[in-house]
Amino acid sequence: MTDIQRSNWLHIGVVIALACSFFILPEYHSGNLARILVLAVYAMGYNLLFGYTGLLSLGHALFFAAGMYGLGLAMQFFDFNPIAAVIAGLILALVVSICVGFLALRTTGVAFMIVTLMFAQAGYLTILYFGEYTRGDEGFVIQQADRMVGMIDLTSPMGRFFTALLLFAICFFIIAYIVRSGFGLALVAIRENEERATMLGYDVMRLKLQAVVISGVMSGSAGAAYALLFGYAGATFATVQYSIFPLLWVLLGGAGVTIGPLIGTIFMFYLIDYSSAITPAYMLIAGLALVLLTLFAPQGLAGELRRRFLPWLP
Amino acid sequence: MASVMILETKGLSKSFGGLQANTDIDFKLQEGLITALIGPNGAGKTTFVGMLCGRIPATSGQVFFNGENISALPAHQRIRLGIAYTFQITSIFPGLSVAGNVELSLRRAQKLKTKDIGAAVQKVLAQVNLSDRADQVAKDLSYGHQRILEIAMGLAQDPKLFILDEPTQGLSESEVEEFIALIKSLAGDTTILLIEHNMDVVMKSADHIAVLNFGELLAEGTPAEIRENKSVQSAYLGTSEDA
Ligand SMILES: Nc1ncnc2c1ncn2[C@@H]1O[C@H](COP(=O)(O)OP(=O)(O)OP(=O)(O)O)[C@@H](O)[C@H]1O
Ligand SMILES: [Mg+2]
């Protein structure tokens, strides 16, 4: 089997395993998994920029929130149906990521981190400022009755899970395709040595902008799906905390590995879930686990897997 | 013999703050030859070629490539016209395999079908005797092999003009000999501009020599002419008639 075939089977296999898990897992866990899958899409978007292109953004919550509010406000005030509202969310995320990319990419390194952080903060404050429509921190609920796509009830466990899985699978395959394409290799070249990439004739600026936009729209699709499937949009999702989350998920799961974001999101979700069952000081346990993992698996779980056993992992 | 100029500069100058690194350089590069650019440390050689390929913005002056004024083009667009550049300080993709490094160069420079890329990569690696290291991670290579890899990336671009900044630094004696044979085999189709401190390499390979000193073009000529040139000798001995 060639590496490409292996990689294809891996991606297909993961999606099939996830689909089967719905029928095997207790309802509590399959409910969690629906949420994890949506968040993993956010992390995959982040991974394209951070793990493959080497750009560390601290402002991705802005893209997540753009998708979330694009969808939420369109449904709330313009009575969009869910599909049209998802498209509205994607368009808003697209516009925001083009603007942010265009401006923030004039900087590099730490300055890029700060500029993206500031943009996200500005986005958060904008949501608060228009509290009359967005309901600020309190947020607003998207009515159960509106969350129907044809005959599919997105509020039912099954409808919710398989919609989340559909989005996940689409993004997962897109990422798998991108990282193997010439475009994906060029992004890795930028991560490895930007100056060399330029001196081979790559238009680094343009490639980076494309990476920001794809990453931003994917993150936005997660935001839109989150609002739609869980029926709520709120400014919390635009806070710094939500910009840090995908970074953590990707670091833990494995930056620059296609399955890294999924693994990282599952791991962190259950780490917090179980440790909060043991003690109210759950962040202490979670924090300790994170420190240990960074010490002993600095490339993340999937990164470690690739280093030790599966060098072909894309 | 009617000689064609592949590259020409007019009044090319660079100052870093108060430091004048290149002053008013008018230079012509003849197509198909190996031209060596020599000069003492700090003479401005790296700065000069950096302005040719767009890596360093010129303070003033113009660069023409195949008769076209490319002064306003950013680096990646100049490279796409058929210029390859190897850095004085090795610059490769450290985390990728040797083959991956060459592949990135090939993919950008040549329109190849995905199925043909592997063979094309192997062909380039064979040219520089790196075939048996194709799967090694580039950062694990010895210093000399990393420099050879960078040369291989330049070869993969199949450039019209190949600019090499002290390529033989850190190579073993036998590797230097292989390098000389390699660039001689390229000359004709490819124009080579070679910055080199190793006079043995210069004398063995160059058809033409240009000497840079204190940011100015001091002399030009055949290897024999340059060897006889009094001001070149004094520049290299670090003395100057009017000091
Ligand atoms: N980025 C920079 N900023 C400030 N000064 C610089 C810069 N780059 C080069 N210089 C200065 O410009 C002068 C020319 O440098 P350059 O590197 O072009 O010389 P060189 O001929 O390549 O020397 P060497 O043989 O040591 O490589 C030197 O005095 C150097 O210190
Ligand atoms: Mg130099």
Side-chain angles (χ1 to χ4, degrees), chain A residues 89-105:
Chain A
L90 292 180
I91 290 175
L92 187 58
L94 176 75
V95 172
V96 170
S97 55
I98 290 173
C99 296
V100 170
F102 188 74
L103 295 167
L105 286 173

Side-chain angles (χ1 to χ4, degrees), chain A residues 93-304:
Chain A
L94 176 75
V95 172
V96 170
S97 55
I98 290 173
C99 296
V100 170
F102 188 74
L103 295 167
L105 286 173
R106 286 154 199 271
T107 63
T108 53
V110 177
F112 181 78
M113 291 159 59
I114 292 172
V115 170
T116 48
L117 181 72
M118 288 305 157
F119 271 115
Q121 203 58 18
Y124 172 64
L125 294 173
T126 308
I127 293 170
L128 294 189
Y129 183 81
F130 291 103
E132 194 186 328
Y133 307 102
T134 64
R135 315 250 21 103
D137 276 328
E138 198 183 297
F140 59 89
V141 169
I142 297 166
Q143 294 306 324
Q144 190 161 0
D146 297 334
R147 289 152 60 203
M148 292 283 292
V149 179
M151 294 303 293
I152 304 163
D153 179 3
L154 299 181
T155 63
S156 73
M158 194 163 180
R160 183 184 283 173
F161 182 90
F162 282 97
T163 309
L165 182 60
L166 176 69
L167 175 68
F168 174 84
I170 292 172
C171 294
F172 195 45
F173 292 142
I174 289 177
I175 292 285
Y177 175 77
I178 286 180
V179 303
R180 198 194 295 151
S181 68
F183 170 66
L185 287 176
L187 298 185
V188 171
I190 294 173
R191 177 191 75 195
E192 289 290 314
N193 186 343
E194 187 173 329
E195 189 172 37
R196 181 73 265 180
T198 300
M199 297 313 288
L200 288 181
Y202 287 99
D203 188 347
V204 167
M205 213 43 203
R206 186 192 165 104
L207 288 162
K208 279 184 179 176
L209 184 60
Q210 289 167 341
V212 168
V213 170
I214 296 171
S215 171
V217 171
M218 200 170 276
S219 302
S221 76
Y226 200 95
L228 185 62
L229 298 180
F230 304 102
Y232 171 79
T236 340
F237 292 103
T239 55
V240 178
Q241 198 181 3
Y242 268 83
S243 290
I244 304 285
F245 277 143
L247 173 62
L248 281 179
W249 296 327
V250 167
L251 280 175
L252 291 176
V257 189
T258 56
I259 55 164
L262 175 66
I263 293 178
T265 315
I266 294 176
F267 182 81
M268 182 104 158
F269 191 95
Y270 277 102
L271 183 65
I272 291 177
D273 195 50
Y274 284 128
S275 52
S276 58
I278 300 169
T279 157
Y282 66 93
M283 277 318 272
L284 213 63
I285 298 184
L288 186 70
L290 298 189
V291 170
L292 289 177
L293 205 69
T294 341
L295 283 178
F296 296 107
Q299 302 179 24
L301 294 166
E304 205 60 21

Side-chain angles (χ1 to χ4, degrees), chain B residues 42 44-47 88 165-166 195 197:
Chain B
K45 306 179 295 293
T46 298
T47 305
Q88 178 168 6
D165 198 345
E166 296 196 27
I195 297 181
H197 274 302

Side-chain angles (χ1 to χ4, degrees), chain A residues 303-314:
Chain A
E304 205 60 21
L305 206 62
R306 167 157 73 187
R307 195 173 66 84
R308 284 174 196 252
F309 308 110
L310 308 171
W312 52 269
L313 271 189

Side-chain angles (χ1 to χ4, degrees), chain A residues 180-183 185-186 188-204, chain B residues 53 55 75-76 79-80 85-87 91-96 103-105 107-108 150 153 157:
Chain A
R180 198 194 295 151
S181 68
F183 170 66
L185 287 176
V188 171
I190 294 173
R191 177 191 75 195
E192 289 290 314
N193 186 343
E194 187 173 329
E195 189 172 37
R196 181 73 265 180
T198 300
M199 297 313 288
L200 288 181
Y202 287 99
D203 188 347
V204 167
Chain B
C53 60
R55 196 172 76 84
H76 71 269
I79 298 299
R80 289 180 189 186
Y85 177 77
T86 68
F87 288 76
S91 179
I92 53 176
F93 302 113
L96 304 186
E103 178 176 345
L104 274 165
S105 178
R107 274 184 184 263
R108 173 61 254 169
E150 195 172 349
M153 291 164 81
Q157 286 172 261

